Structures are given as structure tokens and as C-alpha cells.
Amino acid sequence: MAEIEQRMVSPGEEFYRTYTAAQVKAVVAALSERAEFPYELTYLGGGSRLWHNGETVSNSDNTPVLGDMDTLLTRYAEELLALAPASWSVRIVDLGPGTTRPVRGLLRRLLDRSRLEGYRAIDISAELLALARENLVAEFPERAEGFDLRRGDFTGSDLAQVLSAADPHRDDLGPARFVVLAGGTLYNFADPGRVLRHVGEAMREGDVLLLTLRIDTGVDRPPFMDRVSVGGPYKPQQLAGLDLLGIDRSWYVPETGYDPERSEVFVRVRFSEPVAVNVTMDGRQRTISFRAGDTVVVWRYLYVDRSALVDQLTRSGFAVRLLEQGESGQVVLVAATLAERTRTD
């Protein structure tokens, strides 16, 4: 049988417009070192439109899981407010706000009680920040102008833009801050524990970390958790990074499955023919090659049960103050504060 000729491709101009030099390096490192395209970078450029379109379609299905993701913060607003001193106002710090759907109900509750001190958000995607701004203006036309939305990477040094350990304009500790990672954002990262520790280092006494996550209940597991599903299911935005690299979708087959050793649901692509991608980095060309049969992960989601979730937060320096399950049974709201050992280190 004749050997299949290797496909040679180079990213187009859109790739280099979409990603900074540092992000190009991150893409090359992830592909070379762990055969993965960083999922968080698929929210930039055209990927943000695919992500938003996919979310709109999913929301029209009105599934219980998505309903919980969008409403849990609002449903337990009173319980969350009880975690902040009654005399303090509350500032929402939204890490990766997306469309802001999950947090808008909580903002409304705080406004109705004259408890909202302000809203800050940070995201790496300028496109998603524009969408977030549009939605906030529509929902809060008289307040949104004062909301602070900034472009940056909250998993790195940019977190200080919205969440510093001290407020130089106040002598006391107020306002209380609700630090939000909603919609499962935390568990899309390759190392959620590192992200938790990084956020915890920037928090202070009186802050409350709020998470909404899909967890493993041990029931109603999709078939791909027992056997890899070839051809999907997957979302188009999960392939956006490979599209930018110039990799044709006919050169691979998507696969969805579950890795029990890492407790992760994943979407990966398996190449059906050899592919070489030539990326220009620091003025030099770097070639990343894949053989037929090689795989690249394009999406991951840590999928653990309640006990493992609490354990991860504890090991990351947090004390769980509230853990409530949504109506679907598969989504939880977690409120956590800094553990004593974190504040005294």
C-alpha cells in the first residue's frame, strides 16, 4: 500500500491577528508537549462567534443543566448575601464572564437591596467582552456604564487588574467581594488546582469564591464515558483552533470520551493522515508534525463528584461555606472562603 503523503500547512493571517506572540508560543508548546490545543484560546477571534452561536442554540433547548448554570447564583442569592457582613456592600468580580447570563440575576438582587458596590470582569477575548457589555447595557441601562470590563488573562498577572489583595482607596476591608467562576469555566483548564491557588493568593478576608460546575453524580452518564464515541458529540467552536492553524477537518475524525485516570471528559481529534503545521514564532519557523493515528485534545472538562470537588478546594486553600445542587442534580453552586492556613501563610 502506498504511503499517504504528508499534508503541509501554515496558519493564515487570521491566526496571527487573533493571537499575540505569547499566545502563539502557548499554542506551539501545548501542541508539542501535550498534544493539546489550549481550549481557552478558542474564545478569541472567530471562535467567540462560534461559541456564542453554539450557546444560543443550546439555550433554546432549555435543558435542565443549562438552566441550572444560568440560575443557581440567583436562586441562592440570599444565602450568598448571608456570607457577607450585613453592613458591607458587595462587589462582583467576574472571571471569564462570557455572556454574563449566570451572574445577571445576582446583580439584580444586589441592586434591589442597594448592596451592589460595583461589577468588574476580565476575559482574554475582546469579542466576548463586547458581547458581555452589550448584554449588561440591555439589562442594566442606568448602571452598566459604571461597570468595569477589562481584557486580560486572570490565570496570570492580569488578575491584579480586577482583584488585588488590598484596596488603596479604603482603610477598612470593605466592600465584600464575590469572585465568580461560573458556567464550569474552572474545570476547562488543564490544571484547575493551579487556577484556584492563583485566585486564592489574590483574595482577602471577607471575599467569597463562587463556582458553578457540572459534577459527576454517577448516574445518567452518557455512553461515551464507557466507550469513546467516534464522530462526536462535539461543538464546532472546539475545532476553531485547528481551523486557524489551517488543518482541514477532512484530515481527522473527532472523538469524545472519558479518561478515568484524569477524571476528565474530553474531545480530541484523531488524524486520518499525516499533517505538518509550520508556525512562525520569533521570526523563525517551527514545524509540528502529526502521524496518522495521532490525537490532539481540543477540549477537556474535569468531571468529579461532590467529595472530590470539596477535597480539591480544601487542598487549594479554601473552606467550603455553601454547596447546593441544582434541579438537574448535575450542577452545583459552591461558595468558599479562604481557609485559615491560607491567610496566615
Side-chain angles (χ1 to χ4, degrees), residues 23-266:
Q23 289 166 344
V24 170
K25 288 182 180 179
V27 169
V28 171
L31 288 170
S32 303
E33 297 169 10
R34 61 178 192 270
E36 177 175 357
F37 193 98
Y39 181 64
E40 62 271 20
L41 296 183
T42 63
Y43 289 101
L44 277 64
S48 65
R49 292 188 295 274
L50 287 172
W51 183 86
H52 175 53
N53 292 342
E55 183 189 57
T56 302
V57 171
S58 297
N59 190 54
S60 67
D61 296 336
N62 197 28
T63 64
V65 168
L66 288 171
D68 284 337
M69 289 289 193
D70 288 346
T71 61
L72 269 174
L73 287 170
T74 308
R75 192 180 309 159
Y76 290 98
E78 297 305 317
E79 289 84 350
L80 297 176
L81 280 171
L83 298 177
S87 61
W88 288 13
S89 58
V90 175
R91 177 186 300 162
I92 300 294
V93 181
D94 203 351
L95 308 182
T99 61
T100 70
R101 266 207 328 248
V103 79
R104 289 196 299 253
L106 178 59
L107 289 173
R108 175 59 62 193
R109 292 289 182 89
L110 289 168
L111 282 170
D112 289 345
R113 287 156 181 74
S114 299
R115 296 282 300 275
L116 182 67
E117 187 272 347
Y119 174 81
R120 291 181 178 178
I122 184 169
D123 200 294
I124 62 171
S125 172
E127 296 83 5
L128 285 179
L129 284 174
L131 179 61
R133 171 72 69 184
E134 179 182 324
N135 289 335
L136 290 169
V137 168
E139 183 77 16
F140 310 104
E142 297 183 3
R143 290 296 301 267
E145 185 176 344
F147 291 166
D148 183 4
L149 281 70
R150 304 186 186 190
R151 187 177 183 183
D153 179 5
F154 65 80
T155 68
S157 60
D158 292 337
L159 181 64
Q161 294 181 19
V162 292
L163 192 64
S164 56
D167 188 337
H169 302 295
R170 299 184 66 103
D171 295 326
D172 59 6
L173 288 175
R177 298 185 299 190
F178 286 173
V179 183
V180 180
L181 276 161
T185 296
L186 175 66
Y187 277 178
N188 283 327
F189 288 103
D191 189 351
R194 189 197 69 80
V195 176
L196 281 173
R197 292 189 296 274
H198 176 64
V199 172
E201 288 170 359
M203 289 173 58
R204 66 182 182 220
E205 185 175 0
D207 290 348
V208 182
L209 176 69
L210 303 181
L211 308 173
T212 55
L213 298 162
R214 187 169 185 170
I215 63 168
D216 184 5
T217 61
V219 297
D220 297 326
R221 286 184 162 195
F224 62 72
M225 290 191 67
D226 296 319
R227 182 177 181 180
V228 172
S229 174
V230 177
Y234 68 90
K235 298 179 179 180
Q237 60 267 35
Q238 292 165 352
L239 306 180
L242 301 187
D243 291 343
L244 283 174
L245 286 170
I247 300 175
D248 193 280
R249 294 190 182 187
S250 67
W251 299 344
Y252 58 77
V253 177
E255 299 178 341
T256 303
Y258 176 70
D259 182 345
E261 292 186 2
R262 296 177 59 94
S263 298
E264 285 182 344
V265 175
F266 62 80

Side-chain angles (χ1 to χ4, degrees), residues 269-284:
V269 302
R270 184 176 298 275
F271 288 97
S272 53
E273 46 193 291
V275 174
V277 184
N278 300 312
V279 180
T280 301
M281 189 173 64
D282 293 333
R284 298 181 179 181

